[in-house]
Amino acid sequence: MAGLTHDMLPHVRRKTSLPNPKRDSIEQFRDYFRKEPKVLEMLLNKVKVCADCKKPCAYHQERCNSCGSSLSQVSISHTDNILLSFVLGIGKGKFPFKISVRFQDENCLCFDDPLSVSAVHLCCVPAQEYVPDLRYLFGRPRRGRRMLELLYNSAAKACLENYWGDESFQEFYLGGKVKWKKLLTESELFVLTAAGMNYPPSQYQLHVQFIHGPLLPFHYALFLEGGHFHYKRFFPYSFLLASLNALEDDNRDFRNSHPDYDMDLIIDEMEKFYGISYDKHWHAMISQIKQMQETHAPSAEKDFEYRVVGNQVFDAQAGFHHPGITVKSLQTSDVKRIQSYGRPYDTDEKPSGGSYNFPAENPKELQDWTE
Ligand SMILES: [Zn+2]
């Protein structure tokens, strides 16, 4: 189903205004640090850029996880590390780096993902440390566990304070059905969320994805076809936490024993030595997402004007074909309708945003986990 007709979707506005960026463009930044190869390297990602929607995807992905297009003919390229640019307070790259910040402090930055797949889709990144991807957590399990918890807890706090604290959001997504009304504790509400990290990521700065249901029908359909939360690419929070705790207790890490460690090796060893099964955690998350969607999605068929079959659009009620309407345009407008990203909108009805408040004075001050 696509083409939301619902006019009453709640949008949660940010309560505080955000500062302007402390630095200008990424090009000026590169020029200033041109004699620092380490800094220049930190600012790049290795990716496949989707030919249709231009989203940078992980280089080994088969299909774009924003629009579903095939990536098999796309070659590997380098893109700007946007997440690292955010925490360095850089103002723009190929487009302005306006962030819809929901929580920030000296340690981390949490914001609405502009490519939301659900009603609340938050992303949380470390702000004073350079951690290219989640493998580095396994290199320093104690610090890694703390970092993981910091990012997850900050996203949860941002979600609670911004969204669950909003009356219209409560009413629309959590109310209506009697049984949801008593769901008021954090732990119960967390059942409505899928959280974790991707490896390899599309942006090489560690980030927790915090996705609160319901998913948009298009993204739920993509999820059912295996297009989201990819097996052995998406690492559920519960799996990461259990693994890092076990390594910490055992005083063991992957840094010295396996200099070229990859996630497949980590998955195998966690199962072999600690009985922590990636498959179990991943399947539990998948069933939880299905459950969340079935019991909880407020969108009924009547809330959509169109039905999508393959890449054809049909009228949901009368059933006739709409050759002039593209599936992509419907998805784009549905995402805009559901998301609170950039709310309140500015005077020309465009998403608003700002910059990170506490960027490091010098990128070399970031604690580098690759060293
Ligand atoms: Zn795409």
Side-chain angles (χ1 to χ4, degrees):
M1 306 305 295
L4 271 168
T5 53
H6 222 295
D7 299 326
M8 301 302 287
L9 289 173
H11 294 128
V12 179
R13 299 153 71 96
R14 289 188 316 270
K15 291 174 193 81
T16 49
S17 61
L18 298 166
N20 286 321
K22 303 229 175 6
R23 294 187 162 105
D24 196 20
S25 72
I26 195 164
E27 283 320 314
Q28 281 183 327
F29 188 85
R30 281 201 176 100
D31 189 48
Y32 190 82
F33 290 100
R34 63 190 176 277
K35 291 185 181 139
E36 301 284 351
K38 183 78 215 175
V39 174
L40 297 177
E41 198 195 311
M42 270 168 29
L43 287 168
L44 287 175
N45 304 306
K46 184 179 167 191
V47 294
K48 280 191 171 185
V49 179
C50 173
D52 286 321
C53 75
K54 310 294 174 217
K55 181 181 194 266
C57 298
Y59 61 87
H60 83 320
Q61 243 171 278
E62 282 167 21
R63 292 173 68 191
C64 170
N65 55 349
S66 179
C67 74
S69 295
S70 166
L71 296 172
S72 60
Q73 301 302 313
V74 179
S75 49
I76 292 173
S77 58
H78 290 90
T79 61
D80 292 337
N81 189 337
I82 294 170
L83 296 185
L84 202 70
S85 303
F86 283 179
V87 298
L88 289 170
I90 294 172
K92 57 175 189 266
K94 292 200 172 73
F95 51 88
F97 294 155
K98 260 200 232 170
I99 322 168
S100 184
V101 179
R102 294 292 175 174
F103 174 80
Q104 60 174 318
D105 63 14
E106 283 86 350
N107 299 311
C108 71
L109 169 66
C110 180
F111 53 91
D112 295 312
D113 194 319
L115 301 169
S116 4
V117 301
S118 73
V120 181
H121 185 164
L122 296 163
C123 192
C124 193
V125 293
Q128 309 298 337
E129 306 184 39
Y130 172 56
V131 195
D133 61 62
L134 66 87
R135 291 173 312 147
Y136 293 93
L137 302 176
F138 288 82
R140 296 169 166 85
R142 171 183 289 267
R143 233 173 118 187
R145 193 257 309 152
R146 286 200 199 121
M147 173 59 78
L148 177 71
E149 287 184 322
L150 168 79
L151 299 181
Y152 179 82
N153 291 338
S154 302
K157 185 179 159 73
C159 185
L160 276 172
E161 289 180 357
N162 287 270
Y163 292 96
W164 291 332
D166 183 274
E167 219 171 285
S168 59
F169 184 89
Q170 277 264 354
E171 180 58 32
F172 190 81
Y173 289 111
L174 307 172
K177 293 170 191 160
V178 179
K179 64 176 185 168
W180 294 107
K181 285 196 173 151
K182 61 184 168 70
L183 285 186
L184 290 167
T185 65
E186 282 185 29
S187 61
E188 283 167 312
L189 284 168
F190 287 153
V191 175
L192 305 173
T193 305
M197 298 179 179
N198 280 319
Y199 180 81
S202 45
Q203 292 285 324
Y204 283 80
Q205 171 70 336
L206 192 71
H207 50 288
V208 158
Q209 303 243 13
F210 188 94
I211 298 165
H212 179 296
L215 270 62
L216 271 173
F218 161 71
H219 284 291
Y220 189 61
L222 196 56
F223 158 77
L224 291 174
E225 290 169 14
H228 281 302
F229 306 100
H230 301 92
Y231 179 67
K232 292 198 174 173
R233 175 168 185 242
F234 191 85
F235 292 84
Y237 174 71
S238 66
F239 170 77
L240 295 172
L241 187 63
S243 301
L244 296 171
N245 270 324
L247 291 170
E248 185 182 347
D249 290 345
D250 203 18
N251 213 3
R252 200 164 158 264
D253 69 54
F254 279 80
R255 197 165 18 151
N256 299 320
S257 49
H258 302 293
D260 298 316
Y261 58 87
D262 206 343
M263 284 314 293
D264 287 335
L265 176 75
I266 292 178
I267 288 170
D268 289 349
E269 299 217 339
M270 291 317 301
E271 172 110 51
K272 198 161 104 198
F273 294 112
Y274 303 102
I276 296 169
S277 158
Y278 172 85
D279 282 35
K280 259 191 208 154
H281 282 269
W282 186 81
H283 283 292
M285 181 193 67
I286 295 299
S287 337
Q288 186 198 322
I289 295 169
K290 287 182 181 163
Q291 178 108 28
M292 171 173 98
Q293 197 77 4
E294 272 165 30
T295 46
H296 182 56
S299 321
E301 285 206 7
K302 64 175 173 46
D303 295 333
F304 295 91
E305 207 174 340
Y306 306 106
R307 183 184 301 278
V308 173
V309 182
N311 57 6
Q312 307 290 318
V313 177
F314 300 87
D315 188 279
Q317 305 304 325
F320 50 81
H321 187 206
H322 283 288
I325 303 176
T326 66
V327 178
K328 238 162 237 157
S329 68
L330 290 179
Q331 283 152 15
T332 308
S333 75
D334 281 352
V335 167
K336 278 201 182 122
R337 285 199 152 197
I338 203 172
Q339 75 182 358
S340 292
Y341 165 80
R343 310 271 179 178
Y345 280 2
D346 60 20
T347 40
D348 54 352
E349 286 302 300
K350 293 266 163 58
S352 70
S355 194
Y356 179 52
N357 228 342
F358 316 96
E361 285 296 318
N362 187 321
K364 288 190 288 181
E365 279 170 22
L366 297 183
Q367 289 181 46
D368 184 350
W369 287 44
T370 65
E371 281 169 356

